[in-house]
Amino acid sequence: MTDPAPLTDGYGRVHRDLRISLTDHCNLRCSYCMPAEGVAWLARDTLLTPAELMRIVRVGLALGLEEVRLTGGEPLLRPDIVEIVARIAALQTATGAHPEVSMTTNGIGLARLAEPLADAGLTRVNVSLDTLRPDRFAELTRRDRLPDVLAGIEAARAAGLAPIKVNALLMRGVNDDEAVDLVRWAVAEGHELRFIEHMPLDAGHTWRRESMITGAEILAMLRTAFTVEPVPGRGAAPAERYLVDGGPGTVGVIASVTLPFCGACDRLRLTADGQLRNCLFAREESDLRTPLRAGASDEELGSIFTACLARKLPGHGINEPGFLQPQRPMSAIGG
Ligand code: SAM
Ligand code: SF4
């Protein structure tokens, strides 16, 4: 009989969730993520083809993965995104169900793609939006595209992808005065806003602990305008959720740096060039692409998954002396 949970790491964490970066390219240049000139893009011939991607996902599902989140870079820039969603959604987990397929996107292109993506089997979408002010959006992302993002969010709702999670990152002196406005807007629209602490993963290596807006600061800002009470039962979810003014609206705080949730982590990550990572902050990757292209069997690929997990550390170590930021930026690992 096979092990019921082959994707259990050395600390007893069972892994169910695969985050796939479909591309390292992006049509925005959020200052906390990518420099204006972009980054050194991955070489084309290193990118997984859809068939290679399906093979890897299939092996992961057979080992116990149940959820697939597509991200990047900007996943909607992939011309074959609808086909990729449909093909993953049609695969089977170890228990014979279909995997849950979700996406994290900046929302640009969603106005056109939300409906075909929902038809293809996409179940949930997280849209990143850090400001509701057009001039500030243009400054922060270096592109004047706020109307496209808002239209994308509307289209996602119309396509049945609600409730939509909206990810916001506050930068000191840039948009940290918008916490209350963002929550007020999200609650009125029925979206679930989640604030994310800035992590040391930017391509420019400009992250400074002192300039990061902490989860505690965000809650203090929100409490100037609303009552904010914790919702119990977080499970493996990274966001601590709070009822706003008694509900039903909620807000989430993902305090990855100040209150790490590594103990409940159930994620693995696959880069667009076929490298498996056991953590956003991992300093090493496991190459699936080379053995795959050399004709490895499913068993051989599966053993790369389990060996990668066996090396997973108990935590990300950001708060420990000697922490080193990974070589790849967030946009290439997949956020
Ligand atoms: N382009 C898509 C988007 O923006 O949603 C998907 C990729 S993006 C890397 C995924 C998420 O990571 C976004 O919500 C973004 O705000 C967040 N992010 C990017 N850089 C970050 C950093 N250094 N620390 C924390 N979150 C970051
Ligand atoms: Fe692009 Fe997302 Fe990074 Fe912004 S956060 S630059 S949208 S990958």
Side-chain angles (χ1 to χ4, degrees):
M1 204 174 116
T2 52
D3 183 342
L7 295 182
T8 306
D9 71 7
Y11 300 88
R13 294 170 294 194
V14 180
H15 290 68
R16 305 271 183 226
D17 184 348
L18 181 64
R19 311 254 149 161
I20 304 176
S21 174
L22 289 178
T23 173
D24 58 335
H25 284 257
C26 192
N27 41 11
L28 295 183
R29 293 286 183 275
C30 304
S31 56
Y32 54 76
C33 181
M34 244 193 232
E37 65 279 12
V39 295
W41 310 116
L42 295 172
R44 243 189 133 66
D45 61 351
T46 65
L47 301 181
L48 297 177
T49 64
E52 290 171 337
L53 187 59
M54 292 317 132
R55 174 100 189 279
I56 291 175
V57 176
R58 202 163 43 70
V59 168
L61 294 176
L63 289 171
L65 295 176
E66 294 172 349
E67 294 184 35
V68 175
R69 174 170 292 272
L70 303 173
T71 178
E74 178 41 50
L76 295 180
L77 287 181
R78 285 281 297 233
D80 51 2
I81 186 67
V82 176
E83 178 201 338
I84 288 174
V85 168
R87 288 179 69 177
I88 295 175
L91 295 175
Q92 285 196 345
T93 67
T95 59
H98 293 298
E100 184 168 314
V101 188
S102 60
M103 183 182 288
T104 301
T105 168
N106 63 31
I108 297 171
L110 212 46
R112 180 174 58 86
L113 287 165
E115 201 174 312
L117 285 169
D119 290 346
L122 191 74
T123 51
R124 284 183 294 126
V125 70
N126 284 23
V127 181
S128 305
L129 178 60
D130 308 313
T131 173
L132 295 165
R133 304 187 196 174
D135 51 336
R136 196 175 265 186
F137 185 97
E139 195 183 324
L140 207 156
T141 69
R142 305 189 180 98
R143 304 284 188 272
D144 191 5
R145 308 288 303 262
L146 178 61
D148 298 300
V149 177
L150 295 176
I153 291 174
E154 269 319 303
R157 189 211 307 267
L161 294 170
I164 295 155
K165 288 187 180 156
V166 177
N167 293 349
L169 197 151
L170 297 179
M171 305 275 287
R172 205 174 292 286
V174 178
N175 62 340
D176 54 335
D177 55 352
E178 261 189 273
V180 168
D181 288 351
L182 281 162
V183 171
R184 202 164 268 139
W185 166 79
V187 167
E189 294 288 325
H191 307 319
E192 193 175 313
L193 187 80
R194 296 130 38 100
F195 291 105
I196 306 177
E197 282 181 350
H198 190 205
M199 297 182 275
L201 284 171
D202 56 309
H205 289 235
T206 59
W207 182 87
R208 296 285 172 274
R209 182 176 295 274
E210 317 73 72
S211 55
M212 172 185 65
I213 308 277
T214 64
E217 280 180 83
I218 294 167
L219 285 175
M221 289 189 252
L222 299 183
R223 289 195 164 117
T224 64
F226 315 106
T227 63
V228 178
E229 298 298 335
V231 178
R234 170 179 181 171
E240 191 73 67
R241 292 171 69 236
Y242 299 85
L243 281 182
V244 178
D245 280 343
T250 60
V251 62
V253 177
I254 305 183
S256 330
V257 179
T258 59
L259 290 173
F261 39 90
C262 305
C265 181
D266 67 348
R267 290 145 195 217
L268 277 168
R269 296 172 187 272
L270 179 66
T271 63
D273 58 347
Q275 309 299 304
L276 193 66
R277 300 178 62 92
N278 57 27
C279 177
L280 261 180
F281 295 94
R283 305 270 312 155
E284 54 163 42
E285 303 181 330
S286 301
D287 183 10
L288 282 165
R289 184 188 75 242
T290 307
L292 175 75
R293 291 186 178 172
S297 66
D298 283 359
E299 288 68 29
E300 284 162 336
L301 295 177
S303 66
I304 294 174
F305 270 82
T306 46
C308 175
L309 259 191
R311 291 192 296 274
K312 182 158 172 158
L313 299 175
H316 57 40
I318 300 175
N319 302 312
E320 283 154 33
F323 168 77
L324 286 174
Q325 183 171 337
Q327 303 270 313
R328 290 200 201 232
M330 179 78 138
S331 57
I333 297 170

